[in-house]
Amino acid sequence: MPHTTARFRPALLPLALLACLAPPARAAQDDPRHDEVKDLSTIVVRATPLPRTAEDLTRPVEVLAGERLDEAKANSLGETVARLPGVQSSYFGPGVGRPIIRGLDGARVQVLSDGLASGDVSTVSVDHAVSIEPFLANQIEVLKGPSTLLYGSGAIGGAVNVVDGRIPEAATAQPLEGRAELRAGSVNDEKTGMVRLDGTSASGRVVFHFDALHRETGDYDIPGFAESEHAHEEHAHEEQEGEEEEHEEEQVHGVLPNSFVRTDSGALGVSYVGDRGFVGVGYSLFNTRYGVPGHAHGHEEHEEDHEEEEEEGHEEEAPVHIVMDQRRSEIRGGLDDLGVFDSLRVKFAHNDYTHTEYEGDEIGTVFDNDSLEGRVELVHEDWAGWSGAFGVQGSRRDFRAIGEEAFVPASESRDIGLFWIGERTLGAFDLEVGARHDSNRIDVDEGEAIGPSRDFGATSLSAAARWNFGEDFHLSFGLDRAQRSPTAEELYSNGLHVATQSFEFGNPDLDVETANRAEIGVHWHRGPLRLGASLYHVRYDDFVYLADTGIEDDGTPARVWNQSDARFNGAEVDLQWTFAENESGEWSLRTFGDVVRGKLAGDGSQEVAFSVPHGDHTHDYTADIALDGNLPRIVPARLGGELRWRSGNGNWRAGVGAVRYARQDDVAEHEEETPGYTLVHANLAWHLDTPGGNAWEVFVDGNNLLDEEARPHTSFLKDLAPLPGRNVTAGVRLFF
């Protein structure tokens, strides 16, 4: 999608306006955004009702905030958190990237906006984007391991909580404060502008928030051919000998077509803050338009009239792009000092979401999702030596897909969950226990679905302990039993899923899956050294997975949702060493690594039957699905390192690093191996505090500096769309 300077001018206005509005009398040291977050483990994690820092929590958690978040921010949430240990990103073009935690993604990883679900349908299909803008976040928290205790069935693999402060909970330090940013990127001609304002009335009771973002990118540069060597060889083999030369000439090289992104996001919130609490409302929108590279919907392959098919086959297929729009309304409130209870927090959110897929200028499929969620947390102190929190969480999702390619029937999902989490200290041990039960019902149109409506119950139990050998060394232990109910997509999918270029068939007989996790971790901090490491093992009973049948209908593969026992084993390590602090500045080195192996642990195989529709008739198939072997699309092992420097006066900082993604050859049946690759990145920033108390920052960031061809193993598009090539991003930030 082309863009011009004139189209970008509205994004320049916020920065000019802020330069005029910035109050002159503010001291820079009063604004924590001006200071480096030296220890992210000391930041209070808001994803749990008990206010604890990442250092104090017995559960594994990663936090991004301050300058580290500024350096990591990317177009998608998944890409933003992808360099944290144990966390990678899915990829379906630059507009779509969902976090993958310890090899698990989709319906097993909950994405939250300050404790409430994002309300999008990013778990329905891999080409659906998350409706949260990471550029507007204050901090991002990644809970690794089962988080069903706090957030229910959809968090059996973990949760990512984005804290944006869109509904203020306390008065600001100054009557008006905020930040703004402008940036431009080379690989896709990116232009991004954002602004944030927070302020408090003269009475100190009314607090408001405003933010806005606009982003435009064109098609991005790639290091070589869009099609992988494996895909090219496969296509060349399928082509007739006389057409091979033509195929060579048609290969896309240098720029990936239809990889543009345009995003607009904004929010307005206002709260009344009293002596014992607050109540606030907020309204936000998220609108994004993005191309789906490597995809063009061709219905003619499955038309009954083959003569018409042959004629249409010579026409150029229309590129596919997606327009996603979400409107979110929220109410939040809190009270403190309630006698026997320490605090009460109440949150409600309503989401009106529409996702429209276009084939050229024609509307293909429309996804509508209307959701409502509420959450109440009641924190207590010292009940029989335990401090803790009770909670109740309820949600309703009304989902509709309209169009010829709607492979999932309309459904209404309802869930209600009750939980308690408690903690206490016994000598050198910090203990945490908890329990939760969820009741879930999925109602579907019996005329559309391949099976009946279903009811599920899921119970989760958790126990964790931390053994404190001293202030700088502790061991942590965790045991969980977590359960997840199948989703409507897993139960009732039935037809062509164009995003994955496959037929997808649900299984209405799926049962609740159960994960039993054991983990041991170590944390050591002595002077300039900090070490964190963990080992974990997860035994899944009735693990739900999408199995490739090995059958193709007119060249399109068929996949079915199935269940088998599974085992996940993994390890993570993160070492940080500040090896010099002198007149030249502060120098630190960080290295991290992670590995996970996911395998099915069933016996033998299972016969499945399915039918592929073709107009007024069907093609019937049966297939034997292996219940053992490697799971598909498991993330590869990684090893990363980074050298960081900060000048003695704090005005300059820089860093350079690389992450090596190993070759993934532990692949499932009918799945191809993926070559390894190395991504090199760097950053440089100059920070200036002005006499008036404001601050300016000029920065340059580089990604994939070696211009290496990179194809994530987790991506359904890996053979059609590599990651972007060398990218240099430059911009300016204003804090006031």
Side-chain angles (χ1 to χ4, degrees), residues 258-270:
N258 201 36
S259 58
F260 67 88
V261 178
R262 175 170 178 164
T263 302
D264 292 286
S265 182
L268 180 64
V270 61

Side-chain angles (χ1 to χ4, degrees), residues 227 231-232 235-236 239 243-251:
E227 196 174 61
H232 173 62
H235 288 160
E239 294 277 355
E243 296 175 340
E244 289 186 13
E245 184 175 346
E246 180 182 350
H247 180 70
E248 291 279 356
E249 294 175 354
E250 291 178 352
Q251 278 207 91

